[in-house]
Amino acid sequence: MATSAPTLPLLDVDNPATGETVATIEQVGADAVAPAAERARAAQVRWAARPWRERAAVVRRFHDLALDRSDLVLDTIQSESGKSRRDALAELITVAGTARYYLAHGRHHLSDRRARPGVPLLTRARSAWQPHGLVGLITPWNFPFLLGVADALPALLAGNAVLTKPSELTPLSTLLARDLLVEAGLDPDLFQPLVGAGPELGGPLVAAVDYVGFTGSTATGRIVARAAADRLIPCSLELGGKNPMLVMPGARIEDAVHGLVAGGFANSGQTCISVERIYVHDDVWDEFVAGARARVGALRVGWSEGFDVEMGSLVSVDHADKVRAHIADARERGAEILVGGDEPPPGLGRAFVTPTIVTGTDETMAIHSEETFGPVVRLERVASAEEAIAKANDSDLGLNGSVWAGGRRGARGLARRLAVGTANVNSTLLIYNSYDVPMGGIRRSGIGRRHAAAGIQRYCRQQSIVESFSRGGGYEIILRLVDTPKRTAALLRVVRLWRRVPGMR
Ligand code: ADP
């Protein structure tokens, strides 16, 4: 880790499920950022000069090491987040998937593209990708290992150095990722976690880097975007969601209920793409409600390092209290609690929230349009697909959506009409493991995309290189030859014809 300011207190990292302090680590202050950036920049020049194959070898070894040390990885994730073993496993699998995808395709995404020349036969054009240099990542607590390292992998492969600021609640997984990367052969200066307070480190971090990628709340995203705008550096923001799920006639209701359990309650609902509101058609309402009630009511909640628990705690008592406040507010304003409620599950601590389904909500309730970010969903009955789409799209946020309906084509048609960056048919979270499609939000859910070509190209500046074979260069030499009305008319005839010549347009 970077040098620490001696005055800063040590940081306790707690397991929210047990209340136990699992580590006490050094944190750094604002003054640590510039020296870390300087070291990173020096290392980046050497790193970018190495061929793709050598950079890829490091990421490949990291991929293998992370899987070899799966127990350590899962223990670490669970220890600082309180989540279930399965939720931790999902993080590891997604990190491996991201590495696998960019190892296989990243080189192609960054290869030069031969482009149409300005003047056929006389010139050539190509576009190339150059690494920004130093990438800053500010990451949240909900997926400490996944978000702690996965977005860094394409940045590193592209030839950048990375300064990353993990959430102060969950820094251990990022530190473990750093150790694995270093063991895989990465120069430690190329991936430096800066552990400390967000408001203190955020400004200096944005001031020191050439690109910033932020994942977290819309409010903090706005602060980061402002700081990036001040410096005119590119940024991407993956922010909140109030993600709708549509359950329409013809859907297999049992599958949709499973989709709800995964989409609403995996990771204790602390997933930016998790289901927060469900629009259920009249025709299937009774069946869906009965299934959801039974399945969500039976979720095994608790703390375990085995796979016997389906849902763990939330990240902190503070956050759990915020989630419970949404449930209490809805209840007090007259909503019906179908399952769960605003008390922790019996025998468990206050970082646990009882899986909850609410219905009969209205727009005066916080749960209606604010992101809850917990194991709570609200159900609403609709009379038609049109009504479902209109209600689903009536939101400031537009991250993820999910459609369950009879007939694949009809479902896909509804998915297209959702005002979201990503939509799933017959699934809720599949998008995150579909690495070959861009992932990100619209409206206040963010700017920019991770995954696919966009997910590695965002870490590069695009450079265009044009060449001329004629002395004096392409257009200029032609224009210099045009010095009479006759020649002008001839040139304009050529320009007019040009539009019609296949292969030269
Ligand atoms: P939450 O409110 O759920 O903790 P945040 O969006 O505040 O979510 O946190 C995401 C990340 O942003 C964390 O790493 C946090 O430390 C960081 N952060 C918090 N405040 C700031 C800030 N003012 N500038 C930059 N980063 C910040």
Side-chain angles (χ1 to χ4, degrees), residues 136-169:
L137 297 175
I138 300 176
T139 63
W141 42 256
N142 57 333
F143 290 96
F145 189 67
L146 165 58
L147 294 173
V149 72
D151 285 342
L153 299 176
L156 291 169
L157 281 168
N160 295 283
V162 175
L163 290 185
T164 181
K165 202 218 81 59
S167 164
E168 44 276 53
L169 292 177

Side-chain angles (χ1 to χ4, degrees), residues 79 83 96 102 111 125 158 206 215 231 235 243-244 289 313 352 383 397 399-400 423 456 458 481:
S79 75
K83 65 175 67 177
Y102 283 113
S111 60
V206 179
T215 306
R231 291 203 53 232
C235 68
N243 309 304
V289 168
S313 74
F352 288 88
L397 299 165
L399 190 54
N400 191 36
I456 190 163
R458 67 182 169 141
L481 293 173

